[in-house]
Amino acid sequence: MEDTIGVTEAAQIPQQRGEQLLDAAVRYAEERHWDVLPGTWLEPVDGQARCSCDDTACPAPGAHPARPDWATQATGSAVAARRMWGKQPRASVLLPTGRTFDALDVPESAGFLALARMERMDLTLGPVTRTPNRRMQFFVLPGGAAKAAELVRKLGWSPTGIDLVARGEGQYVAAPPTRVGGLGAVQWAQHPTPANRWLPDAEELISPLAYACGREAAAARSRQG
């Protein structure tokens, strides 16, 4: 995978770059065998980046499905991906979860803390994305989302008390180099490589992730108190 554009440059150039998006979508399908889905895109309106869905209050401008039956439109075919992005080169690149991977979504600060602990524990990581709204998403084996809450409970944390969101069947994540409004681009914190083709199980990562999210929650309560 090629490096994506950095945060500073992405913030200066909110419009999507069609060639990058098409190439990325094709590589995800061809090299990783991930299902890919073209989503909405950004339109420049009065000097601002507005979502193609025309909702001025869109919570994820340029980075969500464009139609309600999106799950049926996702494809694992590189040929089909090339055809779909050929029709709308600026479409965001979305990856449905619950198929070839699930995702554990945490605040960026907790994600970096967890990454440091995982490195010390010598854990094998899968790909990890870093979104411009300061979230990190750790890719794990399918089925991880369904058991994440129970795993968190077994570690002594309340699933509703920490900011750990499990994304599985019927959900999706935005993939690099998708841009979200004028905030910047989704990037890889941990790139997809041949070494991490085999994803970890959620059980392998849940302890450092829950610990980091717990510390984040405790710090937030302390600030409020």
Side-chain angles (χ1 to χ4, degrees), residues 14 16 38-43 49-67 90-94 105 131-135 137 167 172-175 178-184 186:
Q16 307 279 18
T40 53
W41 57 92
L42 297 175
E43 297 279 7
R50 183 174 296 178
C51 187
S52 61
C53 73
D54 291 329
D55 181 358
T56 55
C58 179
H64 65 85
R67 34 193 293 181
R90 291 182 296 159
S92 54
V93 181
L94 307 180
D105 182 327
T131 71
N133 57 342
R134 303 183 69 81
R135 305 288 298 184
Q137 294 158 341
R167 301 188 182 278
Y172 62 89
V173 297
T178 295
R179 291 183 175 82
V180 184
L183 297 175
V186 180

Side-chain angles (χ1 to χ4, degrees), residues 126-148:
V128 181
T129 62
R130 179 185 177 193
T131 71
N133 57 342
R134 303 183 69 81
R135 305 288 298 184
M136 292 178 75
Q137 294 158 341
F138 291 71
F139 289 19
V140 296
L141 287 172
K147 57 186 178 182

Side-chain angles (χ1 to χ4, degrees), residues 28-103:
Y28 295 148
E30 195 168 59
E31 297 176 10
R32 301 297 294 200
H33 305 294
W34 290 340
D35 281 6
V36 293
L37 169 77
T40 53
W41 57 92
L42 297 175
E43 297 279 7
V45 178
D46 297 329
Q48 296 184 334
R50 183 174 296 178
C51 187
S52 61
C53 73
D54 291 329
D55 181 358
T56 55
C58 179
H64 65 85
R67 34 193 293 181
D69 62 343
W70 63 266
T72 65
Q73 304 302 310
T75 179
S77 163
V79 173
R82 190 175 295 280
R83 182 174 64 251
M84 290 193 295
W85 269 270
K87 293 178 180 177
Q88 181 43 264
R90 291 182 296 159
S92 54
V93 181
L94 307 180
L95 306 176
T97 51
R99 300 186 181 189
T100 50
F101 65 88
D102 284 359

